[in-house]
Amino acid sequence: MNAHDPVPDTLRLKPLEETDMTDAQRKVYRDIASGPRGGVRGPFNALLRSPELADRAQKLGEYVRFNASLPEQLKEFAILITARHWTAQYEWHAHHAHAMKAGLAPAIAADLAEGRRPAGMSEDAAAVYDFCRELHEKKSVGDAAYAAVLGKFGERGVVDLIAISGYYTLVSMVLNVERRLIPGGSPLPLRRLA
């Protein structure tokens, strides 16, 4: 573990109990808990420190997670690509399970976790991978990667894929700064890449 890796026992923001929340925090907390997530997890302990931001972020997150136009497997793949880019341990842990349930091949996730271009991707998955990797690494997307996603998923798909990458970048940054713990004290799933 290097100096930038999360330290397992040093969560920076203590968990908020509903009884300790302001009225604004409590309202957002209840809105999140009653929504499709079925609970308040992940970045929301930290985000609730800014209730208006938490409310806006959770609405964007609800859209990209549950309503974006991409197939479920590819949405989860894009989330894992973002988590890998940020070495976001909690995010990877949470969404790896969702990706497996959506049908992503374990070998693809394993290659991605090791920082390799996954072998055996479908054309659709390869288009998502190339687009997301370029967006994260080059801060833009070349014509070939853009055309591949556009041709497979249309303009809405392009914009939704950007939104998934952007939202989960925010989530990854929040979780990494907060040092959000992996439930059950499980080992960290990602090693820091050079």
Side-chain angles (χ1 to χ4, degrees), residues 132-184:
C132 292
R133 292 294 293 182
E134 286 186 26
L135 185 56
H136 288 302
E137 292 176 5
K138 297 179 180 178
K139 314 305 179 223
S140 187
V141 175
D143 291 341
Y146 179 83
V149 170
L150 179 66
K152 293 182 177 304
F153 308 109
E155 290 179 340
R156 180 178 175 191
V158 168
V159 173
D160 282 354
L161 189 53
I162 294 166
I164 291 165
S165 298
Y167 174 75
Y168 283 99
T169 291
L170 169 65
V171 168
S172 294
M173 290 190 298
V174 169
L175 294 168
N176 283 354
V177 170
E178 183 190 24
R179 295 179 176 158
R180 171 57 45 194
L181 304 173
I182 295 174

Side-chain angles (χ1 to χ4, degrees), residues 35-173:
R37 290 178 185 88
V40 182
R41 294 177 290 282
F44 293 107
N45 180 62
L47 288 173
L48 280 167
R49 272 43 183 212
S50 179
E52 188 174 347
L53 174 61
D55 187 45
R56 291 171 189 242
Q58 73 97 3
K59 287 175 182 170
L60 175 60
E62 182 178 316
Y63 173 77
V64 299
R65 170 103 187 275
F66 300 105
N67 299 302
S69 60
L70 296 168
E72 191 66 23
Q73 183 183 113
L74 297 178
K75 283 190 284 189
E76 291 298 334
F77 186 41
I79 295 166
L80 290 183
I81 293 166
T82 303
R84 172 65 276 182
H85 177 76
W86 286 93
T87 312
Q89 305 289 353
Y90 182 96
E91 198 60 31
W92 180 277
H93 173 81
H95 282 276
H96 183 271
H98 295 306
M100 296 301 100
K101 184 177 178 185
L104 186 69
I108 289 175
D111 281 349
L112 183 60
E114 290 300 317
R116 295 186 296 264
R117 178 184 176 81
M121 288 185 287
S122 68
E123 284 185 25
D124 289 356
V128 167
Y129 177 84
D130 292 340
F131 187 99
C132 292
R133 292 294 293 182
E134 286 186 26
L135 185 56
H136 288 302
E137 292 176 5
K138 297 179 180 178
K139 314 305 179 223
S140 187
V141 175
D143 291 341
Y146 179 83
V149 170
L150 179 66
K152 293 182 177 304
F153 308 109
E155 290 179 340
R156 180 178 175 191
V158 168
V159 173
D160 282 354
L161 189 53
I162 294 166
I164 291 165
S165 298
Y167 174 75
Y168 283 99
T169 291
L170 169 65
V171 168
S172 294
M173 290 190 298

